Amino acid sequence: MRKLARLLGAGLWLSLACNAALADEASAPQQLLARMSRALRELDYQGSMVYQHDGRVDALRLFHAAGDPERERLSSLNGPPREVVRRGGEVVCFQRDGSTISLTSSGTRSLIPLAPNLASSSVIGTGYVPVAGPVDRVAGFSAQIVELRPRDEFRYGYRLWLDRKSDLLLRADLMGSNGQALEQVMFVNLEVGITPNEQDMAAPLGEMPTGSLESERNLQMPGERWRIRDLPVDFALIARTALPGDADGAAEHLLYGDGIANVSVYVERVASSGVNSVGFGARGALNVYTRTLGNYSVTVLGSVPAITVERLGRSLEAVPAAH
């Protein structure tokens, strides 16, 4: 009996030790991703990258200055001149013709294409499973690969290459369900720890407009007019903005996300044709679903699988008016 008790005790100890080791192994990639998120925000860096998407390759130049506010500038090196400047949570896109588009965003979202917003780690372990991969080399840096594998068919996965010294993101692949990369971005040269000068941070195509954030806030709608009744797990409404030009305010832009992937839903008034139409479209990783809903057209688009935009579009409904 004593021998059996000792064996049972040893087996229990071994089981606990193995479980602890597995827990440590599982938490390691999540810790790497947390360090990557901090590095993207808190380090000064600058470099050039290539971005493969939609059957084309863009060459980009990035400057990042940590601080309060955090500042970032991304400019195109090929094709039409374009650039995006971020100052905290204010993002301005400058076009070749001098026009600008002002947006609001989380102050923690990087301008690096495909860089997942992991400032809030709650999505990790629910919508995605982080898995550590082998060591590789990118732009002359030794890189640790970490994968974000989706738990269901409603989101894409990521394969990320992190600098083993600074934890910065060196390369990112957006992964389809077949294991093929749908989009890729990769630094080809990178300088870490060098603060960009003011000339590098300035936008040659124009100046940051003033008041853009306030004008966006004024469009926020007080009452719910549309909703989606069948959201995939972990997806939730992030923002709801009125679209201009609609008398009763029922035209909206709804933004849904799971913490990493985002989907936009546009509801706009149209002349009723009496015909309900449904359409699908795709461009690279971007999928689009359209339909008519009474006197409104619905457009759902995002870098998510086609099944996701279709599910959101089909389950959109008007909120009954309160009496």
Side-chain angles (χ1 to χ4, degrees):
M1 291 294 293
R2 291 180 180 177
K3 183 177 181 180
L4 178 60
R6 286 197 301 270
L7 289 173
L8 290 174
L12 178 61
W13 178 87
L14 182 61
S15 175
L16 292 173
C18 290
N19 288 340
L22 289 173
D24 289 342
E25 183 179 353
S27 63
Q30 187 162 340
Q31 293 168 2
L32 287 171
L33 293 174
R35 296 205 299 267
M36 179 201 75
S37 181
R38 290 194 298 270
L40 285 172
R41 300 192 312 269
E42 299 174 3
L43 295 181
D44 294 324
Y45 49 92
Q46 53 190 296
S48 299
M49 63 182 74
V50 291
Y51 177 30
Q52 290 184 300
H53 64 111
D54 302 338
R56 58 176 291 174
V57 178
D58 286 332
L60 306 171
R61 180 72 176 168
L62 178 81
F63 299 93
H64 181 272
D68 188 13
E70 180 187 357
R71 295 186 298 160
E72 201 168 16
R73 174 175 161 243
L74 181 69
S75 59
S76 63
L77 300 179
N78 64 317
R82 294 161 297 168
E83 58 190 19
V84 184
V85 176
R86 179 168 72 90
R87 183 175 58 199
E90 182 178 10
V91 178
V92 179
C93 305
F94 295 89
Q95 306 295 318
R96 174 177 53 179
D97 60 3
S99 62
T100 62
I101 302 174
S102 299
L103 308 169
T104 55
S105 74
S106 166
T108 60
R109 183 174 287 278
S110 172
L111 291 184
I112 299 176
L114 305 184
N117 183 17
L118 301 177
S120 173
S121 61
S122 60
V123 68
I124 306 300
T126 55
Y128 304 83
V129 179
V131 178
V135 173
D136 200 359
R137 191 165 175 264
V138 177
F141 294 83
S142 178
Q144 172 65 55
I145 297 177
V146 179
E147 294 186 9
L148 277 175
R149 297 177 181 173
R151 289 183 179 271
D152 55 37
E153 69 273 28
F154 296 109
R155 61 209 92 209
Y156 292 134
Y158 288 81
R159 183 174 293 133
L160 309 171
W161 282 254
L162 315 183
D163 176 24
R164 297 179 71 195
K165 183 176 181 180
S166 68
D167 298 314
L168 270 175
L169 178 65
L170 302 175
R171 172 180 167 180
D173 289 5
L174 187 66
M175 308 300 296
S177 59
N178 58 0
Q180 297 296 314
L182 302 173
E183 295 184 359
Q184 297 176 315
V185 65
M186 179 176 65
F187 276 103
V188 292
N189 67 66
L190 177 66
E191 297 177 292
V192 182
I194 299 177
T195 303
N197 59 46
E198 289 304 312
Q199 183 177 356
D200 290 331
M201 298 305 299
L205 295 182
E207 296 298 325
M208 291 284 282
T210 59
S212 57
L213 287 180
E214 188 60 34
S215 63
E216 290 261 339
R217 290 194 185 102
N218 289 338
L219 290 175
Q220 295 299 314
M221 301 187 64
E224 183 182 30
R225 302 297 297 270
W226 302 94
R227 66 188 176 197
I228 292 178
R229 65 178 183 275
D230 188 22
L231 283 170
V233 173
D234 293 323
F235 277 82
L237 180 66
I238 298 174
R240 189 164 51 87
T241 307
L243 295 177
D246 192 69
D248 63 4
E252 293 186 4
H253 168 221
L254 307 172
L255 180 64
Y256 290 87
D258 67 354
I260 294 180
N262 290 328
V263 181
S264 285
V265 180
Y266 293 91
V267 186
E268 301 173 271
R269 185 181 293 276
V270 293
S272 178
S273 64
V275 178
N276 292 326
S277 61
V278 174
F280 294 88
R283 191 180 67 184
L286 181 74
N287 282 289
V288 182
Y289 172 86
T290 60
R291 64 176 288 208
T292 56
L293 186 61
N295 293 330
Y296 290 88
S297 69
V298 178
T299 303
V300 186
L301 68 152
S303 290
V304 292
I307 189 175
T308 309
V309 294
E310 181 181 7
R311 177 163 169 173
L312 268 65
R314 288 188 180 278
S315 62
L316 179 76
E317 62 184 11
V319 176
H323 296 290

